[in-house]
Amino acid sequence: MIKQQKTRLTYILMCLAAIQFVAIAWFNYRHVYGALDMDAAMGIRQNIEQWKHGLFLEDFIFATTLSNDYVSFWAVPFYFLSGNLNLAMMLSQCLTYFIIVLILWDICSGLELTIDQYLFSVILIFTPYSLDVLEWAYLLFISVGYYAYRVIALLLLFDLLLNCSRPNTGKIKLMILLISSCAVTFWTSLSTGNYILCMVVLPMILKVAWDIIEKQRFSWKNSENWAILLNIISGLMGWIVRNQNMYEIGRNHNDLSLLTADTIFKNLPNAISGFLMLLGGLTNLKDVSIFSWFGLLVLIRLLFIFISIIVVVRACIHKCAKDSLHKVFLCVAVVNIGVLLLTNTSYSEKIFESRYHLVWCIPFLLVVATNVMKAEFRNQWLNHLFAYGFVIIAVVINTGGFYYLHCQTKEKVREQEIIRMADELGIDNVFIYDDPTSAYVLRAMDMEKNIVSVTQERGYMAIHSWGFYASTMENAVSNGPNILVCSMQQFELLPSYVKDCYELIETSRLGSTQYVYKSDRSPWDYQVGMPLASESVAIDFPYTVGYSYDGVIDRNGWLLIDSEKQGIVLKSPECSVVPGLYEVTVVYEVAEENIDMIDVELEIASQNGSQVLLSEKLAANQDTVTVSNVNILSEFNLNVQVRKNSPGEISIHKLIFERIGEPIS
């Protein structure tokens, strides 16, 4: 760091950076639960489960990433020690803040920047430009911190290359930076797959290549080359480990689709909109008055963006050939923007996913900060006015950003009341009708209860389990006393075999539209076939999703098959079965007048029911029959079916699958 005489501006920047840090720490302590949304709650609960049971959770339906690179992942040990999620999240965010600040200090020292340039860099990076979920503040330093360690991966690799190019860097420091950079690259690649290789490592490869061409000299002895190579290997290892484990659980989302020829130019306005939205220069809110406080704040941020673009363009033209920071910015920006322009990152939405711009915006802001604090106008007064003007804009954006962050967080009063009611009733199973967001939030607020969102899809009972264990869809897991939260209109639309299970117990504690119903057993099931690897028992009903039947479902949820029906009367879809020794039981009832003539079989079949492997006749004077010794040596697809060979009435109540041991070889 260049030594400079501390000026009034230096002390102002120090105070602003300190106030900004206190605001970040206070918000993360005070508003952890208030800031919970579906994504944040999903990430926090997933991280807690990973610390309990390992990174690659068994029978877990992962979202798009492994989530181990979230800031909340490192909050879990603090949570286990303190039992206080607010304190844990604050400590983890503060730790991440200091890691970024420390790396920035070393980068600025390597670039021989002033203390003012360093402080303003910190302030700009930790400014809450955009405030919605999956936007700047929440991605970097609020709540879960989805992208913080991706930013650390970028800054660490830049710092490593910078120190490699300096002859006076100590070997111990260089080794620490190398290990740290490779470790973070591996760790984030475990979560994101090829993202880090494409968006972080590849730009640095281009930067090193730029230097080689510029110097017209290449040598493997150059430590920069080895640093890049080791980071490539680390990223590939993380990606490979992720793919191997994610494939095993059936989830792997590393691919982006190339845009077609007729849509590629339509994506350009979306990309520009995404960049402006990320830095708060555009908003999705409707009917915002220009002269409202929020409207003025958006305009100020838009002004900041446009002036910053001018500063960056001018700086790159004049300094790119001799300054590493500007080279890194250009390489990161070109690769990231190029990928985003050529691929579909708006998905089903009309507007570009703005969060994907965050990685290249970090060096963009560093270039802005370093050039604003050392403007090169001939008029010194103009230099000071320029610096102070940017500081004032930063103060306004920070003040408005943290104020609106505070205003938009809401205490989870409804969710707290649901947990309180369940505790009063001594119930651990809670079903929320058609409200997955509340279910995710509740799971982050109460780690012990089984809380899921249920609904109806295409005539079947459905359970939302994305981002949580597949076992939450299994009736055997949630079967027992439970409460259902829904409106009266929603309840009336439920099938009779669900409604008849429940009794109304509360009409006012959750507001005028939300009622609470209680049942001693759960009618919900959305998991088909044999038990998951993490469970030993599974229960299916005739109405479970995927089952086909030739009969009528009655008010009990039983399949009624009249006397004339023959052939396959109940059939499950073909499902994958993990190795093990199983028993399959059908619960049924035969009409008294048909006891002497009924001929029905329970069959275990493959090839979509065409090849029967095992079968057992249903005895007319019993209510259960079991097919034993279903021995599965390797992962195999099976289906279960009931075949009726004679006239006579019968009702099928449910199927019970049980893994009783290891497979017999």
Side-chain angles (χ1 to χ4, degrees), residues 13 16-25 27-28 71 90 92-105 117-131 135-143 145-149 151-152 155 278-279 301 304 358 361-366 369 393-403 405:
L13 293 173
L16 291 177
I19 293 169
Q20 189 183 60
F21 168 72
V22 171
I24 291 171
F27 188 92
N28 280 291
V71 173
M90 183 199 74
S92 184
Q93 284 287 1
C94 290
L95 176 64
T96 306
Y97 175 93
F98 284 119
I99 290 172
I100 294 175
V101 166
L102 182 64
I103 298 170
L104 282 175
W105 174 269
Q117 290 172 305
Y118 164 69
L119 290 170
F120 199 51
S121 297
V122 172
I123 291 169
L124 288 189
I125 287 176
F126 289 98
T127 294
Y129 301 101
S130 50
L131 315 174
E135 290 191 337
W136 191 276
Y138 284 88
L139 290 172
L140 198 54
F141 54 86
I142 295 296
S143 188
Y146 307 93
Y147 273 50
Y149 279 88
V151 170
I152 289 174
L155 295 176
L278 183 64
L279 292 180
R301 291 188 297 224
F304 166 79
L358 186 135
C361 281
I362 296 297
F364 172 83
L365 292 176
L366 292 179
I393 290 174
V395 169
V396 172
I397 295 174
N398 273 273
T399 304
F402 280 109
Y403 171 75
L405 274 173

Side-chain angles (χ1 to χ4, degrees), residues 261-416:
D262 61 330
T263 59
I264 190 166
F265 289 104
K266 295 178 183 177
N267 197 43
L268 180 59
N270 280 336
I272 295 171
S273 297
F275 167 63
L276 295 177
M277 286 178 63
L278 183 64
L279 292 180
L282 291 179
T283 177
N284 273 324
L285 298 178
K286 296 180 179 179
D287 301 322
V288 176
S289 171
I290 290 178
F291 299 105
S292 66
W293 287 113
F294 186 77
L296 290 173
L297 182 61
V298 172
L299 291 178
I300 290 170
R301 291 188 297 224
L302 190 61
L303 175 66
F304 166 79
I305 295 168
F306 284 140
I307 297 176
S308 296
I309 290 172
I310 294 170
V311 169
V312 169
V313 170
R314 181 180 180 276
C316 288
I317 291 172
H318 290 91
K319 300 180 181 180
C320 205
K322 58 183 179 180
D323 187 272
S324 293
L325 175 59
H326 295 78
K327 285 182 182 178
V328 166
F329 161 69
L330 278 179
C331 293
V332 174
V334 165
V335 171
N336 279 258
I337 295 173
V339 170
L340 299 177
L341 285 176
L342 293 172
T343 57
N344 178 21
T345 49
S346 60
Y347 305 120
S348 59
E349 303 295 328
K350 292 182 179 180
I351 301 298
F352 197 89
E353 291 279 356
S354 60
R355 67 183 183 271
Y356 295 126
H357 285 288
L358 186 135
V359 169
W360 76 264
C361 281
I362 296 297
F364 172 83
L365 292 176
L366 292 179
V367 172
V368 172
T370 55
N371 284 280
V372 165
M373 287 296 115
K374 197 175 181 181
E376 296 178 349
F377 299 111
R378 294 179 181 178
N379 188 317
Q380 287 300 314
W381 275 40
L382 195 57
N383 288 335
H384 290 305
L385 284 173
F386 193 61
Y388 276 100
F390 254 86
V391 171
I392 291 170
I393 290 174
V395 169
V396 172
I397 295 174
N398 273 273
T399 304
F402 280 109
Y403 171 75
Y404 283 109
L405 274 173
H406 171 72
C407 291
Q408 73 183 24
T409 55
K410 298 178 181 179
E411 294 301 319
K412 300 295 187 287
V413 177
R414 174 175 172 268
E415 287 78 6
Q416 290 172 352

Side-chain angles (χ1 to χ4, degrees), residues 643-662:
R643 185 187 300 272
K644 187 166 175 278
N645 300 314
S646 66
E649 293 183 5
I650 185 172
S651 63
I652 307 296
H653 299 185
K654 61 183 176 181
L655 292 161
I656 303 171
F657 306 88
E658 186 174 3
R659 185 168 51 250
I660 59 175
E662 296 298 318

